[in-house]
């Protein structure tokens, strides 16, 4: 009917196959030209999120005669229904998972499945990687949301639960845990917004990509990894603050921990992020615009000493790659990925403190630098920072 909005369509991405996992080049799903601009796909997708719900899915397949490996893959749009209205693929089974049960994940079989080629077949792997960038940014945002919810659950519980004659939140160890949770949340939020901003600025790029695009890609790997690791840590601490009841399914906090544990795995494991980070640095020199940008932000920071120290730390860690063999670089890649995330977050938080004129972000940056980068213990003054953070967020007063 004229004037009505188009009906809502649910989408999905179906890339993973059992024999390859993150190794997309091992995919065996094939594609042959059909009639009327359609292609016919044959193969098996092992992890198909939204299976049974999605109206259309993006799927990788290798056209007949295409080269082997990832660069031979093309990207296709697969509708749920064929042109004649029948189901376009077979849902073989749904997975039983420890988390994300609200999102059905199944195994999908293509048998002459109708599909539509997206763009140029030879550039399919580039479209696929761009789609993964979006998914990884969404993963980071999701990890931040789960982590924030777990913190709020724990904060409210410790505010009202009494133990040993006083509220749990009045015990220094409980405050220490809440403080750690919140500084990890703040750095996750800062780096997620930075990565999304960089992607939006470079999203119009096409192969061969600009250095700005490679920088956005590098920051996406950093943000995806950091937010996932922080979410796992924060939700675990939230469960501990609940005590034994935190392990019961009747309390939501145990669900948030289970939900958090998928974020280091979905859209490429932390190991994959580390390997892709190395390729972006060694193959594309993506660390150069990273250092240029972080250096400028450090000069504009609220506390030049803290931001500058984080920047020098970042430079030292990156320069250490030059003296490593390829095997050594890969072995140490995850450490570098984590350190780049924390160092960048310190600089971003200090810049936020300057831009927003909120000293609490400076205090959070100090704690990230001291506790995470310098590996020194948190000290009692952190209690005051926690109170300031809670006040800044508009939470209930202590």
């Amino acid at each position: 009917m004229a004037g009505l909005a188009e009906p809502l369509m649910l989408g999905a991405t179906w890339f993973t196959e059992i024999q390859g996992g993150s190794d997309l080049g091992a995919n065996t799903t094939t594609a042959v030209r059909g009639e009327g601009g359609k292609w016919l796909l044959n193969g098996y997708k092992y992890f198909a999120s939204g299976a049974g719900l999605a109206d259309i899915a993006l799927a990788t397949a290798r056209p007949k005669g295409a080269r082997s490996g990832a660069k031979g893959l093309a990207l296709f749009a697969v509708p749920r229904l064929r042109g004649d209205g029948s189901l376009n693929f077979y849902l073989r089974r749904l997975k039983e998972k420890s988390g994300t049960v609200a999102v059905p994940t199944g195994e999908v079989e293509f048998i002459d499945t109708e599909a539509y080629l997206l763009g140029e077949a030879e550039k399919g792997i580039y479209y696929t990687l761009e789609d993964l960038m979006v998914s990884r940014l969404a993963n980071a945002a999701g990890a931040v949301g789960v982590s924030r919810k777990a913190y709020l659950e724990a904060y409210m519980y410790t505010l009202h639960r009494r133990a040993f004659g006083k509220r749990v939140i009045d015990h220094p160890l409980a405050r220490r845990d809440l403080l750690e949770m919140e500084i990890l949340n703040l750095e996750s939020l800062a780096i997620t917004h930075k990565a999304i901003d960089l992607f939006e600025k470079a999203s119009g790029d096409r192969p061969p990509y600009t250095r700005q695009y490679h920088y956005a890609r590098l920051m996406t790997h950093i943000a995806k990894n950091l937010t996932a690791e922080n979410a796992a840590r924060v939700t675990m601490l939230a469960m501990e603050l609940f005590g034994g009841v935190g392990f019961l399914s009747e309390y939501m906090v145990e669900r948030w921990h289970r939900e958090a544990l998928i974020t280091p795995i979905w859209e490429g494991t932390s190991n994959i992020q580390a390997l892709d980070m190395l390729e972006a640095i060694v193959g594309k020199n993506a660390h150069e615009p990273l250092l240029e940008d972080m250096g400028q932000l450090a000069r504009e920071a609220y506390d030049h000493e803290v931001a500058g120290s984080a920047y020098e730390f970042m430079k030292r860690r990156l320069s250490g790659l030059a003296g490593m063999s390829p095997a050594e670089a890969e072995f140490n890649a995850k450490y570098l990925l984590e350190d780049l995330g924390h160092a960048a977050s310190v600089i971003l938080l200090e810049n936020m403190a300057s831009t927003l004129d909120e000293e609490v972000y400076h205090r959070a940056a100090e704690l990230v630098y001291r506790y995470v980068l310098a590996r020194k213990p948190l000290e009692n003054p952190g209690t005051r920072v926690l109170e300031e953070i809670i006040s800044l967020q508009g939470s209930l007063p202590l």
Side-chain angles (χ1 to χ4, degrees):
M1 184 175 179
L4 293 180
E6 292 292 329
L8 176 67
M9 296 185 69
L10 300 178
T13 54
W14 298 346
F15 299 157
T16 307
E17 299 181 13
I18 183 61
Q19 76 284 345
S22 295
D23 182 6
L24 294 178
N27 283 6
T28 59
T29 297
T30 60
V32 296
R33 289 183 183 274
E35 298 179 353
K38 297 177 182 178
W39 289 66
L40 301 179
L41 307 188
N42 287 275
Y44 205 92
K45 298 297 181 179
Y46 192 70
F47 283 109
S49 296
L53 291 181
D55 298 294
I56 191 165
L58 298 182
T60 50
R62 195 179 311 279
K64 184 178 180 180
R67 62 192 292 188
S68 62
K71 291 189 176 181
L73 296 176
L75 188 63
F76 295 87
V78 179
R80 186 171 185 268
L81 301 177
R82 297 178 182 271
D84 61 8
S86 62
L87 191 64
N88 196 23
F89 48 80
Y90 297 89
L91 177 57
R92 291 308 183 190
R93 74 179 180 111
L94 292 175
K95 309 282 192 181
E96 293 186 8
K97 303 175 291 181
S98 64
T100 65
V101 295
V103 179
T105 302
E107 296 176 21
V108 169
E109 185 174 8
F110 296 148
I111 300 179
D112 287 339
T113 292
E114 295 179 359
Y116 298 88
L117 178 66
L118 297 177
E120 302 173 40
E122 296 77 13
K123 295 181 179 179
I125 187 58
Y126 299 108
Y127 308 144
T128 301
L129 292 176
E130 287 181 19
D131 179 79
L132 282 172
M133 278 183 67
V134 175
S135 298
R136 287 163 178 171
L137 292 171
N139 193 91
V144 171
V146 168
S147 189
R148 166 67 63 206
K149 177 61 174 174
Y151 165 79
L152 291 174
E153 294 270 1
Y155 167 69
M156 294 302 297
Y157 185 79
T158 58
L159 192 67
H160 297 287
R161 171 75 172 177
R162 300 186 70 83
F164 303 104
K166 57 184 177 181
R167 299 178 306 172
V168 172
I169 201 169
D170 292 325
H171 292 275
L173 276 175
R175 284 175 171 265
R176 193 223 75 90
D177 287 348
L178 287 168
L179 178 61
E180 178 185 346
M181 293 163 69
E182 190 53 0
I183 63 174
L184 294 180
N185 281 342
L186 285 175
E187 69 163 358
S188 290
L189 186 64
I191 203 159
T192 297
H193 279 287
K194 178 63 175 178
I196 291 173
D197 179 62
L198 289 173
F199 175 77
E200 288 181 340
K201 291 176 178 176
S203 60
D205 279 13
R206 297 292 182 268
Y209 297 113
T210 65
R211 67 198 305 264
Q212 185 68 20
Y213 181 90
H214 293 306
Y215 175 29
R217 177 187 155 204
L218 173 60
M219 188 60 77
T220 297
H221 299 314
I222 294 171
K224 196 275 186 183
N225 179 75
L226 183 72
T227 55
E229 296 297 324
N230 284 353
R233 174 68 177 170
V234 168
T235 54
M236 182 193 74
L237 287 173
M239 285 183 67
E240 288 186 13
L241 284 171
F242 270 73
V245 298
F247 205 67
L248 303 179
S249 58
E250 61 195 82
Y251 285 82
M252 287 295 291
V253 70
E254 67 84 26
R255 178 188 174 184
W256 300 128
H257 185 52
R258 288 188 289 107
E259 301 290 340
L261 293 180
I262 190 61
T263 59
I265 301 172
W266 259 351
E267 316 306 339
T269 66
S270 295
N271 284 350
I272 292 297
Q273 303 308 312
L275 290 174
D276 286 349
M277 172 207 68
L278 278 183
E279 194 279 329
I281 291 174
V282 176
K284 308 299 182 184
N285 295 317
H287 61 294
E288 294 178 356
L290 168 69
L291 289 175
E292 291 172 9
D293 189 23
M294 290 296 124
Q296 180 62 36
L297 292 176
R299 289 188 288 273
E300 299 169 355
Y302 182 94
D303 188 313
H304 295 92
E305 182 178 355
V306 173
S309 296
Y311 177 66
E312 291 301 321
F313 175 88
M314 179 182 286
K315 286 204 303 183
R316 289 195 303 272
R317 293 293 283 116
L318 284 167
S319 65
L321 275 178
M324 295 183 186
S325 67
E328 289 173 327
E330 181 176 329
F331 186 88
N332 288 280
K334 191 182 288 188
Y335 298 121
L336 176 61
L337 184 64
E338 293 172 357
D339 285 346
L340 289 180
H342 293 304
S345 296
V346 171
I347 297 170
L348 292 170
L349 286 169
E350 286 289 1
N351 193 263
M352 287 170 61
S354 175
T355 303
L356 302 176
D357 195 25
E358 291 284 0
E359 187 179 1
V360 67
Y361 294 118
H362 155 63
R363 298 186 188 280
E366 279 187 311
L367 288 174
V368 173
Y369 180 78
R370 177 180 178 83
Y371 170 63
V372 181
L373 289 182
R375 270 82 173 181
K376 295 179 180 179
L378 290 172
E379 295 178 345
N380 194 50
T383 298
R384 178 167 56 88
V385 181
L386 178 62
E387 293 171 346
E388 292 175 348
I389 289 173
I390 291 172
S391 176
L392 178 69
Q393 296 169 346
S395 302
L396 295 178
L398 293 176

